[in-house]
Amino acid sequence: MITLPALLHLARVSNLPTVWSNVIAASVLAGGFSATGLALVLLAMSALYTGGMVLNDAFDRDIDARERPERPLPAGAVAPATAWIIGGGLLAFGVALLATFGTESAVGGVALAAAILVYDAWHKGNPFSPLIMGLCRSLVYVGTALAAGAVLSAPILGAALVLLAYVVGLTQLAKRGFPHVGALIAAIALVDAAVAVLGGNAIAALVCAGFFLLTLALQRIVPGT
């Protein structure tokens, strides 16, 4: 029987504030949402992120059994079938929520889910895996903007490319055994804070900076990698 700590560990929920900061920053550039709309996009992107993390472990369960036996699947805390169901269900739920904003938003959600699946299934031994990981994060910006009904303008696409480049860099460092990857993941929220400042919203920037601190705090409870 799955336990809540095992599920939280599997989904790497400590990194969720960086997904929320992605949405906040992208919404600034896209012109904003209603409170309900913002909540739905935050929930959708959270589902897509956690679903991707769960499926990542499902795909890696044999490798983790050798290299990281403490992970929930090889440790027996979560059954593989359960991980597939939860991960797939979360991805589908995230796409369905984005689809409520219209066709373009649905396409953005499908593109993000597809990028997540490609990364999960083909990141071991793949020299392009950092690029795919970066694409997943940049598509959070794109998907958020599409949900807001915004045109994919130069500022939105430029910010998405900056985020992509940052995530590619931290993923490369992680592959080389850099010791503070969790902190670099948390700092995604600082990239978002800078985007919010450039978008002219100091309050959103402060929120994103707060999410950086929240991520660091949560990583002390649930490992971020």
Side-chain angles (χ1 to χ4, degrees):
M1 184 175 179
I2 189 171
T3 64
L4 181 59
L7 182 59
L8 296 179
H9 191 177
L10 191 66
R12 296 171 180 84
V13 295
S14 57
N15 296 330
L16 270 179
T18 67
V19 177
W20 304 337
S21 65
N22 291 162
V23 172
I24 295 296
S27 69
V28 168
L29 299 181
F33 287 94
S34 66
T36 301
L38 180 60
L40 286 175
V41 175
L42 287 168
L43 181 59
M45 295 305 182
S46 296
L48 284 159
Y49 179 83
T50 53
M53 290 295 100
V54 172
L55 290 177
N56 182 273
D57 273 28
F59 278 107
D60 288 354
R61 64 192 184 281
D62 292 335
I63 295 173
D64 285 344
R66 298 190 301 270
E67 300 178 359
R68 304 178 71 186
E70 74 282 359
R71 294 292 302 164
L73 266 70
V78 180
T82 301
W84 289 113
I85 292 169
I86 291 175
L90 285 168
L91 283 192
F93 179 61
V95 172
L97 283 178
L98 290 176
T100 65
F101 291 90
T103 302
E104 291 185 350
S105 181
V107 171
V110 170
L112 175 53
I116 289 169
L117 286 171
V118 169
Y119 178 82
D120 286 347
W122 190 40
H123 66 101
K124 294 296 186 182
N126 177 7
F128 298 104
S129 62
L131 182 62
I132 301 171
M133 174 64 85
L135 178 63
C136 291
R137 282 289 185 157
S138 64
L139 284 172
V140 176
Y141 268 35
V142 171
T144 299
L146 292 175
V151 174
L152 295 180
S153 61
I156 292 171
L157 293 177
L161 286 174
V162 168
L163 183 60
L164 183 151
Y166 179 83
V167 174
V168 167
L170 79 84
T171 306
Q172 290 281 22
L173 289 173
K175 289 167 72 75
R176 286 164 172 75
F178 186 79
H180 304 301
V181 173
L184 292 178
I185 294 172
I188 288 173
L190 296 181
V191 176
D192 297 327
V195 169
V197 166
L198 293 174
N201 194 321
I203 294 176
L206 288 174
V207 171
C208 292
F211 284 147
F212 164 69
L213 297 175
L214 178 59
T215 302
L216 290 177
L218 290 176
Q219 285 175 349
R220 294 178 176 272
I221 303 170
V222 178
T225 59

